[in-house]
Amino acid sequence: MALMIGTECMSCGLCIEECPNDAILDSNPIYVIDPDLCTECVGVFDEPQCVRVCPMEVIIPNPDYAESQEQLLEKERRILGSRDPDQ
Ligand code: SF4
């Protein structure tokens, strides 16, 4: 399940630096998570890094994107495979 950022977000920017998939966008008025790029950090970290650093504790599961652990792992592999190795 991709995560989403609640409306209490204060746009501090801490989460953007932590996301391994560049899934978090600096949008107006609050930051947003691209569900196509969010994997809940499965396969990379033991816990969602954005949740770990969010001081407002407003990052929650996005009910519109229910995915199994296996689907999240597959998404992570797809994202990694699409990256330019020179980046
Ligand atoms: Fe990025 Fe992980 Fe947060 Fe998803 S859970 S937005 S992949 S840091």
Side-chain angles (χ1 to χ4, degrees):
M1 187 177 289
L3 302 186
M4 59 185 282
I5 299 175
T7 54
E8 300 87 356
C9 169
M10 61 177 187
S11 303
C12 67
L14 289 175
C15 57
I16 282 188
E17 300 299 320
E18 300 297 323
C19 179
N21 293 344
D22 297 329
I24 304 172
L25 309 172
D26 180 1
S27 188
N28 189 12
I30 62 171
Y31 285 30
V32 297
I33 295 176
D34 181 342
D36 291 332
L37 293 176
C38 177
T39 58
E40 287 189 49
C41 293
V42 167
V44 184
F45 294 105
D46 290 341
E47 61 179 323
Q49 297 300 288
C50 54
V51 173
R52 184 178 61 77
V53 300
C54 179
M56 299 300 286
E57 300 182 359
V58 295
I59 303 178
I60 58 175
N62 185 334
D64 293 334
Y65 292 90
E67 294 158 297
S68 68
Q69 291 289 106
E70 189 49 47
Q71 286 173 311
L72 290 169
L73 254 183
E74 181 54 38
K75 191 198 282 189
E76 181 62 31
R77 288 191 200 108
R78 225 177 25 246
I79 292 168
L80 281 177
S82 68
R83 289 252 163 91
D84 181 345
D86 292 333
Q87 285 187 346

